[in-house]
Amino acid sequence: MHDNPTIAAYCRVSTTDQSLDRQLTSTRDYAEREFDADLSDLEIYRDKSTGTNIDRSGYREMMADAEAGDLDAVVVHSISRICRSIGDLEKTASRLEDAGVELHIVSEGLTLRPGDTDPYQTALFQLLGVFAELEANMAQQRTKEGIAARQNSEDYHHGRPPLGFEKDDGRLVEADNYHDVVAVLDMVQKSNLSKRKAAERLDTSRPTITRALERAELYGFGGSD
């Protein structure tokens, strides 16, 4: 790394109602402590998502600068801030490695350096990927099981299909907005979005949001066995 490295801090929140302050403090303190960085020269990249919008202009600008050779290291508060999945993290880390840029994740204490053969860091990164893939597969299986159970439900046959679903010749199938529904319900579950705002974004009612959350297995969030 250069004697006077250029350090980027990337901060992202899931809704416009959330504050970036905590992440800014965390990444700035880390950059100052680990790199003795001049905070006035720290490059800050910010993103605030709205609804299911995943067009992260701050992230894209940061990655473009990294691949242009303008950055030496990227610092983020936690894994969840720089990616929507571990698959995203792996792609981001690979792109940064190819660009010769370090990735520092404060909360998890994870540092990925280009060409670094630290077995602990490598194993931790791979382990995160394994657990993420397992979690995704389990969520998909729970969704399939939940849909199958609904097929034989009298409530299903004689009532309206759940939020994000529609009926096709007597079968329950995902509607065009299914993935949008999952994303919004996930935000509600994590207390990042109120039921009222979720209802507005999905053009439905708060009771419908509540009922959908009670049918969590339909959306891959889990549910009782």
Side-chain angles (χ1 to χ4, degrees):
M1 186 175 289
H2 303 139
D3 292 335
N4 296 305
T6 301
I7 311 301
Y10 177 70
C11 305
R12 179 180 67 84
V13 291
S14 301
T15 74
T16 55
D17 300 332
Q18 292 178 294
S19 171
L20 292 166
D21 292 348
R22 180 186 177 193
Q23 294 178 54
L24 286 169
T25 298
S26 171
T27 52
R28 283 171 173 168
D29 287 350
Y30 182 93
E32 185 176 38
R33 180 173 69 252
E34 297 296 322
F35 299 104
D36 193 24
D38 184 348
L39 299 187
S40 63
D41 294 332
L42 188 65
E43 298 291 335
I44 306 293
Y45 299 85
R46 302 175 174 86
D47 274 321
K48 283 196 174 188
S49 302
T50 55
T52 56
N53 175 31
I54 57 174
D55 182 19
R56 298 177 294 171
S57 58
Y59 170 85
R60 290 188 288 106
E61 180 183 359
M62 179 188 70
M63 295 303 294
D65 289 345
E67 291 174 333
D70 296 333
L71 302 176
D72 294 295
V74 170
V75 179
V76 296
H77 175 65
S78 68
I79 285 176
S80 63
R81 297 303 88 199
I82 197 169
C83 63
R84 299 184 299 276
S85 68
I86 299 299
D88 272 352
L89 175 62
E90 187 172 5
K91 291 176 183 177
T92 296
S94 295
R95 289 177 63 186
L96 291 176
E97 182 177 18
D98 290 344
V101 177
E102 296 181 1
L103 174 60
H104 295 253
I105 304 173
V106 180
S107 293
E108 285 80 5
L110 183 61
T111 301
L112 300 176
R113 294 185 174 90
D116 194 345
T117 57
D118 181 345
Y120 171 77
Q121 297 290 330
T122 301
L124 178 58
F125 188 79
Q126 292 174 341
L127 188 61
L128 288 169
V130 169
F131 278 119
E133 184 175 1
L134 177 61
E135 182 179 28
N137 289 338
M138 290 175 65
Q140 290 175 358
Q141 184 62 31
R142 288 196 301 268
T143 300
K144 291 178 181 178
E145 290 173 353
I147 292 174
R150 290 283 170 185
Q151 305 292 3
N152 298 319
S153 168
E154 287 299 317
D155 176 65
Y156 160 69
H157 282 295
H158 297 290
R160 298 178 60 186
L163 184 65
F165 290 89
E166 59 187 23
K167 294 180 182 180
D168 181 13
D169 194 24
R171 304 293 293 174
L172 189 66
V173 297
E174 296 176 1
D176 291 340
N177 69 337
Y178 174 78
H179 294 290
D180 290 344
V181 169
V182 172
V184 171
L185 292 179
D186 183 50
M187 292 167 67
V188 176
Q189 279 208 332
K190 294 177 179 177
S191 300
N192 291 332
L193 189 70
S194 69
K195 291 182 181 180
R196 178 180 62 81
K197 290 187 177 180
E200 291 176 356
R201 292 182 182 183
L202 295 175
D203 192 25
T204 188
S205 66
R206 275 182 288 181
T208 298
I209 296 295
T210 299
R211 285 195 296 272
L213 292 170
E214 291 171 351
R215 299 169 172 176
E217 72 278 2
L218 290 175
Y219 308 98
F221 298 140
S224 58
D225 293 332

